[in-house]
């Protein structure tokens, strides 16, 4: 496995911080805090660079607020200068991990997203129901159908284990200063259980969410050898011609999540459906899009 050293100097470079600022301000150019930051841009970025290089950088406290979409969610917004740092970090790490992410992970990735996830779901649906090649069972109206396991991980963002995440990151990242910065970001979010959880709304949370569950993706694709699998953040679906296989997959996945990632399926929201139906899945990932 290829590993990466001497990344921190790339994170801290003025060029990368400038790029990070441009990304952080996108869609927010009229916000007073962006205007104020940009008025003294060179000075602000140089200060950030010095703090990062001297390992004295510390994120500001998060601003907590509630949204209803329609489900009530607690969002934690970061200070703008911290968003610049988070973009600077993800600028360097994302290309490294993008190479190892599976094709059918669709959240927070370039050229993926909700629309492509639905297209892929419909493609899988056609493959498992077309001409009865894979599915033999027929309904009364002679419509050939398959089965879908629609799953949800219970309180995913609240239960991400920091040490497990860092172990996963260290498989690729061998620069201890990068790991130090990641710890600063993770520890900035206070939760009931120390060492667990990431805030909804942070760019780094979205990125780390994919890194963490990439382990599940590999288990599903390479150990269980499941062909028709799509994940969007902590929601995923599996389509198969036999419902008994879906029950087997559910048990194996739940065991893996508990054993390796200290997570569990949300059993009230993880269900088997008789007909392969994209509508429920589409609603789920649209909610995630609003959430993130």
């Amino acid at each position: 496995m290829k590993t990466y050293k001497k990344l921190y100097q790339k994170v801290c470079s003025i060029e990368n911080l400038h790029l990070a600022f441009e990304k952080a301000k996108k869609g927010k150019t009229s916000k007073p805090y962006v205007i104020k930051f940009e008025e003294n841009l060179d000075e602000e970025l140089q200060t950030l660079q010095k703090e990062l290089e001297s390992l004295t950088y510390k994120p500001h406290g998060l601003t907590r607020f509630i949204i209803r979409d329609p489900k009530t969610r607690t969002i934690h917004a970061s200070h703008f200068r911290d968003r610049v740092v988070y973009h600077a970090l993800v600028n360097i790490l994302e290309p490294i991990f993008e190479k190892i992410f599976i094709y059918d992970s669709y959240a927070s990735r370039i050229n993926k997203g909700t629309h492509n996830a639905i297209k892929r779901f419909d493609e899988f649906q056609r493959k498992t129901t077309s001409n009865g090649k894979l599915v033999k069972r027929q309904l009364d109206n002679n419509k050939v159908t398959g089965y879908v396991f629609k799953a949800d991980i219970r309180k995913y963002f609240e239960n991400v284990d920091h040490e497990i995440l860092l172990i996963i990151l260290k498989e690729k990242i061998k620069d201890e200063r990068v790991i130090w910065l990641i710890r600063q970001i993770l520890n900035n979010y206070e939760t009931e259980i120390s060492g667990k959880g990431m805030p909804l709304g942070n760019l780094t949370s979205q990125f780390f969410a994919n890194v963490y569950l990439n382990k599940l993706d590999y288990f599903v694709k390479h150990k269980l050898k499941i062909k028709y699998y799509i994940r969007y953040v902590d929601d995923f679906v599996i389509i198969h011609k036999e419902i008994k296989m879906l029950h087997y997959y559910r048990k194996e996945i739940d065991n893996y999540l508990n054993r390796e990632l200290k997570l569990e399926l949300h059993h009230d929201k993880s269900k088997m459906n008789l007909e392969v139906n994209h509508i429920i899945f589409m609603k789920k990932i649209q909610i995630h899009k609003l959430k993130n």
Side-chain angles (χ1 to χ4, degrees), residues 163-180:
E163 292 307 315
I164 293 176
L165 173 60
L166 288 168
I167 288 170
I168 295 170
L169 289 163
K170 287 178 181 179
E171 291 177 359
K172 301 290 289 182
I173 307 305
K174 300 301 182 183
D175 189 328
E176 284 302 322
R177 292 181 298 173
V178 173
I179 300 302
W180 171 85

Side-chain angles (χ1 to χ4, degrees), residues 46-214:
Q46 287 170 9
T47 300
L48 271 179
Q49 184 185 45
K50 289 177 182 177
E51 291 178 13
L52 290 167
E53 289 179 338
S54 62
L55 304 184
T56 58
Y57 166 76
K58 186 174 178 58
H60 288 259
L62 299 168
T63 301
R64 179 178 177 273
F65 61 95
I66 306 296
I67 64 169
R68 293 173 175 83
D69 60 359
K71 184 177 180 180
T72 300
R73 300 183 187 277
T74 302
I75 304 297
H76 292 81
S78 298
H79 193 281
F80 183 72
R81 78 191 304 264
D82 295 324
R83 294 183 216 171
V84 173
V85 172
Y86 301 164
H87 274 281
L89 177 64
V90 173
N91 283 348
I92 304 305
L93 296 189
E94 189 172 50
I96 293 171
F97 285 90
E98 180 64 29
K99 295 175 184 177
I100 65 171
F101 288 159
I102 68 166
Y103 183 87
D104 287 312
S105 168
Y106 284 87
S108 306
R109 295 177 66 194
I110 296 172
N111 298 323
K112 296 292 182 177
T114 57
H115 179 68
N116 286 322
I118 294 302
K119 285 177 62 178
R120 186 67 160 168
F121 188 95
D122 287 340
E123 177 187 339
F124 284 173
Q125 178 181 0
R126 289 192 298 272
K127 287 182 177 180
T128 53
T129 60
S130 62
N131 300 323
K133 289 180 180 178
L134 293 179
V135 182
K136 304 300 182 183
R137 186 185 184 280
Q138 290 188 328
L139 298 179
D140 292 340
N141 62 1
N142 290 324
K143 178 184 176 183
V144 180
T145 186
Y147 296 93
V148 61
F149 173 41
K150 180 181 67 68
D152 178 282
I153 296 176
R154 183 176 177 274
K155 296 183 178 180
Y156 175 51
F157 281 85
E158 294 178 32
N159 286 303
V160 168
D161 186 283
H162 294 178
E163 292 307 315
I164 293 176
L165 173 60
L166 288 168
I167 288 170
I168 295 170
L169 289 163
K170 287 178 181 179
E171 291 177 359
K172 301 290 289 182
I173 307 305
K174 300 301 182 183
D175 189 328
E176 284 302 322
R177 292 181 298 173
V178 173
I179 300 302
W180 171 85
L181 178 57
I182 293 169
R183 283 191 184 276
Q184 302 308 303
I185 296 168
L186 294 174
N187 292 339
N188 193 46
Y189 179 51
E190 296 182 3
T191 60
E192 294 181 3
I193 303 176
S194 179
K196 283 202 171 189
M198 301 187 300
L200 289 175
N202 266 16
L203 170 71
T204 49
S205 297
Q206 297 172 34
F207 173 67
F208 293 148
N210 274 340
V211 171
Y212 203 80
L213 284 183
N214 191 52

Side-chain angles (χ1 to χ4, degrees), residues 99-103 214-227 229 256:
K99 295 175 184 177
I100 65 171
F101 288 159
I102 68 166
Y103 183 87
N214 191 52
K215 287 293 184 180
L216 170 64
D217 297 340
Y218 272 53
F219 175 74
V220 166
K221 299 299 291 185
H222 300 296
K223 181 67 174 179
L224 297 180
K225 300 187 184 303
I226 297 173
K227 190 173 183 180
Y229 165 83
Y256 178 83

Side-chain angles (χ1 to χ4, degrees), residues 2 107 154 243:
K2 184 176 181 179
R154 183 176 177 274
I243 196 168

